[in-house]
Every structure is written in structure tokens, then in C-alpha cells.
Amino acid sequence: MEIANLVLTLTCVISFTCTHAKIGYFWHITDFHYDPLYTSQGDTRRHCRRADERGSSGHHRALGRYGDYSCDSSLELIESAARYMRTRHSENVEFVLWTGDITAAHFSGSKDENYQAIRNMTELLSRTFSSHFVFPVLGHLDPAPSASLTNLWMHWLPLEALQTFQNGGYYTIEQSHSKLRIVALNTNLFSARESNSAQATHQWEWLDSVLDKATDNKEMVYIVGHAAPGSDSRHSYDVSSDANARYLRTVRRYARIIAGQFFGHLHADTFRVIYDNDRPVSWALLAPSVSPHRDPVGSSNPGLRLYKFDTNTGKVLDYTQYYLDLATANRNAGGAEWTAEYNLTQYYGLHEISASSLHNLADKLRIGTPQETTVFYKYLRAYSVRHDSSENCDGACAHQHFCAITCLEHLAYRQCVEAAASALAAAGDTAPLVTSSFFKLTVLVTFVLLLI
Ligand SMILES: *[C@@H]1O[C@H](CO)[C@@H](O)[C@H](O)[C@H]1NC(C)=O
Ligand SMILES: *[C@@H]1O[C@H](CO)[C@@H](O)[C@H](O)[C@H]1NC(C)=O
């Protein structure tokens, strides 16, 4: 009997076939936009910094200690986020993805001050995750890869990763105890300015070879980067159409081994579906920022995301989106209360996270029946992390979201938006879609409640 048990255990250890899905977690945090010059005595027209002595302005609205919707992050905001992450799941957290834009957009400090700010953020994360690895990628506001940056992140990355990081800002991490590989990209090399550089060419060659090897080794892969592929009409950041198309071709080719793509950059909670001949084959999830400010206009509440995954296969099972209601936190003498905003599968009623389930969700975001626009309302609420923006999202705006989610080729996106615009013009539909349908729904619910 004992021998039989021993044999069984040994077989399990050797083959892994008897092990059940082991659940693990990882954080995805992004776009800190730490502004060392943020001050609650600051001026919102000067990015919440102190007005200079000469032009002491009339803008004396007291700003909150945790930040302001029109400005980048205060140190206190980022520290409160770090404190909160420490209290969650520290046991089962396997790693942390940190997807760039570490310092504020308008931080005009010297190179050295910028480096200091990055070092301070690195130290904060090292203290927060003292027994975990943080995998950083570069955002478009971060400095180009260098020896000093490599030294700063040396304790998180193995030697081979440090070498490719220093040369081009990209690297791969092999998980020792599972068949999951992390591929960290430098998406700055996709920009129109850099897409023809030698570094960009090297990254493509390297990416192909890493994905080929992963295929041979039967590994699953997470792709991590700052800016997701595709278009977003709001953003002027110019990704080269060629680089964008090449990335999408790569994803299609290796879709079977890509278990997830994780990006930041937009300061919004959204997702992308990648198709191959109309068949959904891959997905990307975009996490909202810690910074409450969205360039050039817009705001959201600060967010942090904790993914739940199967550590054997890399399959993403769910995530919990955490957030801080910034207005409340600033009013509250007790301090910042981060809390769970929603869980992906529960919120949208998904039975799993896959290209086809996210395709079905995207389909519900098309302009349509009130039932569908309720989903759209939920999406929009999550998009800004429950920050009620005053801007109305009308039919055209709603359709732009749909196009951004499903049409990642630049040309396809433009055609999608234009097709919708002419359809809407033909229908004479200019009514704010969300407000009106949500209003209808509210009226309906009230009516039903009155009846019973
Ligand atoms: C970094 O931290 C040090 C030590 O706390 C502080 O003196 C310095 O002002 C900080 N610099 C920045 C840019 O945050
Ligand atoms: C999300 O899931 C976690 C556990 O997986 C649970 O503790 C939490 O209450 C859920 N939160 C929401 C907002 O549904």
C-alpha cells in the first residue's frame, strides 16, 4: 500500500500529469507617471506644481494629497498603491508586470533627476515585492535602454535578459517551474521614428527566434509591452503602420502558443481582439494607469490589476481590477481606501477568457438593442475606472470603441470608423446612445418595481 502510494507520488512528481491546475497570481501595474513636483498647493494649469513667484495665479483650489484628475501622480498616491498591493495575495503572487511610463509626462527635470525618480520608484517596488520579481518594460516617456537602467533593474532580471535589455530594451524570462515564458517587448521600437532602426530590426529577429524556440519547447508565452497594437483615435502617439502590421502577423502566426498579451499606455481599461480571416485567434488586455490623468484630455481613477492564472499552462483565468476613488480619498481624513472594482469574468458574464469569448463581448458593444448598450455602459464605466466623465459618448463614439477593439490594422480601423459615421449620418442618429438607453432602462426598471 505504502509502496503503491510512493510510486504514485513519484509518477506525479516526474510527469506532472496528476497535478491539478495550480492557481497563481500576478500583478499588472502601469503608467505611474510619478511627478516629484506635484504639490497640493500647486496650480492645475501647471500640472499641479507650484506656480513660479512672478505669476502667482488665481487658481487656489486646494488640491488633494493623493492627486488630481487633471494631473499626474503624487508620491502619496503611488505609496498608497504599493501599501495596498502588499496586503493582497502576497503568498501566491508569482511576479509583477510593470509596463512603463514611470515618470510624469511633463516632468522636465534633468536626465539625472529623471533617473533619480525612476530609481525611487524601483526602490519602492523592491520594498513592496521584496520576495518577487518585477518585470519592467519601457514606455514612450522612459529613457532609452542604458547601462544605468540595466544596473537599476539587475536584481530582477537574469543575465541573458540583462544583455538584450541593455542593447534594445527587450528580453525574455523562462519560468523555472512551468512551461510559461514571458516576452517583454520594447514597443518604442514600433514608433514611426524608430521602426527602421537597427535595434528595431534586431527586436523582430529576436522575437521570431524566441517564439520559434518556444514552439519547439511546447511553451506558452505572455507578451508584455507598453503600447498595444492597433489604433486609438484619442492618441497621437504614432506607431508605424508597418510595425503594427508586422506585429499582428507575428501574433497570428504564433497564436497557438500566445496565452496572453498585456499592455498599458492608454490610461484606460479596455481590450483588443486579433482576428485571422475573421476568426478570433488572440487577445490583448490593457490595464488602466495609476495616474489619474489621461493625455491630452480625460481622467480616470487610479487602478491596479491582479491576474489569476494557471501556473502550469499560463491560461489566464480572471483578473480583479482594484481602484482608488480619488475624489473620496482626498476628502477622507482616514486616507486612501483602495478596493476591488470588478472581476472580469463575473462583470461581463464570461465563462472563460479567450479570443472567442472576448470577441463575443466585443460584439455586444456594437450599437444595438438596449440590452447590448447596457453592456456598453458597463464597459464605459470600467474604461474610466468609475470616474464619471462629463463627456457623453454618443453613437459615433461608441462605435469608435468597437472599432478600436476589433480592427487593429490601421487601415481597417479607419474604414470601420468611417463606415459607422456614414451609417449614423444616414440614420440621423445623433442622440447620446449611452445616456438615452441607460435612461430607458432606468425608467423600465422603475416601472417594473412599481408594478410589483
Ligand atoms: C528620491 O528619494 C530621495 C530619498 O528619499 C529624495 O531625497 C529625492 O528627492 C527623491 N527624488 C525624486 C526625484 O523623487
Ligand atoms: C473577485 O474575486 C475575488 C476572488 O477571486 C473575490 O475575493 C472578490 O470578492 C471578487 N470581487 C468582486 C468585485 O467581484
Side-chain angles (χ1 to χ4, degrees):
M1 186 65 192
E2 269 173 16
I3 290 179
N5 268 341
L6 189 68
V7 169
L8 187 66
T9 313
L10 275 179
T11 319
C12 287
V13 168
I14 292 165
S15 69
F16 286 106
T17 47
C18 311
T19 52
H20 292 292
K22 188 172 159 271
I23 304 292
Y25 295 85
F26 65 89
W27 286 103
H28 180 189
I29 50 180
T30 194
D31 296 83
F32 281 15
H33 287 252
Y34 163 48
D35 191 343
L37 300 179
Y38 178 95
T39 159
S40 52
Q41 289 96 48
D43 183 334
T44 51
R45 293 172 312 176
R46 292 171 185 275
H47 316 299
C48 297
R49 294 162 189 177
R50 230 177 274 281
D52 58 23
E53 290 104 45
R54 269 184 301 116
S56 170
S57 67
H59 266 229
H60 284 314
R61 174 161 69 90
L63 304 176
R65 56 196 275 227
Y66 294 109
D68 189 89
Y69 287 110
S70 55
C71 297
D72 274 329
S73 301
S74 67
L75 182 60
E76 278 191 84
L77 171 62
I78 299 172
E79 283 176 340
S80 79
R83 266 197 307 278
Y84 186 70
M85 287 191 285
R86 271 172 95 140
T87 66
R88 302 265 115 200
H89 287 284
S90 54
E91 303 270 298
N92 296 329
V93 169
E94 305 273 326
F95 53 84
V96 179
L97 305 178
W98 186 24
T99 54
D101 277 8
I102 299 165
T103 55
H106 304 278
F107 184 56
S108 49
S110 67
K111 250 183 147 167
D112 193 49
E113 283 167 320
N114 196 35
Y115 178 78
Q116 260 189 45
I118 294 175
R119 193 184 55 205
N120 286 6
M121 291 298 105
T122 299
E123 282 169 1
L124 177 64
L125 289 183
S126 300
R127 286 196 301 276
T128 306
F129 299 107
S130 51
S131 54
H132 299 105
F133 289 99
V134 176
F135 301 129
V137 301
L138 297 173
H140 65 294
L141 298 174
D142 299 319
S146 64
S148 46
L149 214 49
T150 310
N151 285 339
L152 205 54
W153 293 338
M154 218 162 72
H155 56 301
W156 287 329
L157 303 180
L159 190 62
E160 195 193 332
L162 289 171
Q163 279 161 357
T164 56
F165 178 80
Q166 183 162 339
N167 290 331
Y170 49 86
Y171 59 87
T172 177
I173 302 281
E174 194 181 335
Q175 300 281 97
S176 53
H177 54 286
S178 75
K179 284 278 187 184
L180 175 66
R181 173 178 290 282
I182 293 168
V183 175
L185 294 179
N186 178 1
T187 58
N188 297 338
L189 298 176
F190 298 164
S191 71
R193 200 164 53 83
E194 293 191 61
S195 64
N196 289 319
S197 66
Q199 276 185 339
T201 310
H202 288 152
Q203 177 168 249
W204 288 122
E205 287 163 358
W206 168 87
L207 179 60
D208 280 345
S209 77
V210 167
L211 293 174
D212 277 338
K213 253 187 251 154
T215 308
D216 292 345
N217 296 342
K218 304 203 162 38
E219 294 169 334
M220 294 303 279
V221 167
Y222 283 172
I223 296 182
V224 186
H226 178 65
S231 301
D232 182 273
S233 47
R234 227 187 50 225
H235 252 264
S236 52
Y237 176 68
D238 71 320
V239 168
S240 132
S241 287
D242 285 347
N244 185 58
R246 181 160 183 179
Y247 180 77
L248 294 172
R249 279 201 304 279
T250 307
V251 169
R252 285 185 196 109
R253 180 140 56 101
Y254 296 99
R256 271 182 312 109
I257 62 160
I258 297 175
Q261 300 172 66
F262 307 92
F263 297 98
H265 176 60
L266 287 185
H267 297 210
D269 179 339
T270 181
F271 63 102
R272 302 286 181 256
V273 181
I274 293 153
Y275 296 85
D276 192 355
N277 290 319
D278 294 337
R279 198 168 51 88
V281 292
S282 194
W283 52 261
L285 291 171
L286 281 63
S289 53
V290 169
S291 169
H293 179 54
R294 189 185 297 149
D295 240 357
V297 283
S299 315
S300 52
N301 280 308
L304 302 166
R305 183 173 287 185
L306 185 67
Y307 278 94
K308 180 178 172 186
F309 74 117
D310 177 330
T311 57
N312 293 327
T313 62
K315 184 167 176 55
V316 172
L317 303 171
D318 207 352
Y319 67 68
T320 304
Q321 182 62 46
Y322 296 99
Y323 84 115
L324 178 70
D325 185 321
L326 187 61
T328 307
N330 282 331
R331 274 198 306 270
N332 193 347
E337 281 180 28
W338 289 79
T339 160
E341 181 194 356
Y342 74 92
N343 290 337
L344 180 63
T345 54
Q346 201 178 24
Y347 190 62
Y348 291 119
L350 309 179
H351 63 282
E352 64 162 359
I353 298 176
S354 66
S356 63
S357 71
L358 290 171
H359 158 76
N360 290 336
L361 173 60
D363 218 42
K364 290 191 190 137
L365 300 178
R366 275 178 199 266
I367 305 164
T369 66
Q371 182 259 329
E372 284 166 347
T373 53
T374 310
V375 177
F376 185 77
Y377 176 79
K378 278 187 142 185
Y379 166 79
L380 208 59
R381 200 166 149 72
Y383 187 85
S384 296
V385 198
R386 293 202 190 176
H387 177 58
D388 296 318
S389 53
S390 48
E391 54 192 292
N392 255 327
C393 192
D394 61 9
C397 152
H399 199 81
Q400 261 181 31
H401 279 281
F402 172 74
C403 296
I405 292 167
T406 57
C407 300
L408 275 69
E409 307 275 359
H410 287 173
L411 182 63
Y413 173 77
R414 277 200 299 278
Q415 286 168 344
C416 177
V417 169
E418 279 157 22
S422 50
L424 285 169
D429 177 7
T430 51
L433 173 87
V434 176
T435 339
S436 67
S437 59
F438 189 65
F439 177 67
K440 272 185 236 156
L441 187 75
T442 318
V443 171
L444 188 72
V445 169
T446 318
F447 188 62
V448 169
L449 284 178
L450 281 177
L451 280 181
I452 53 177

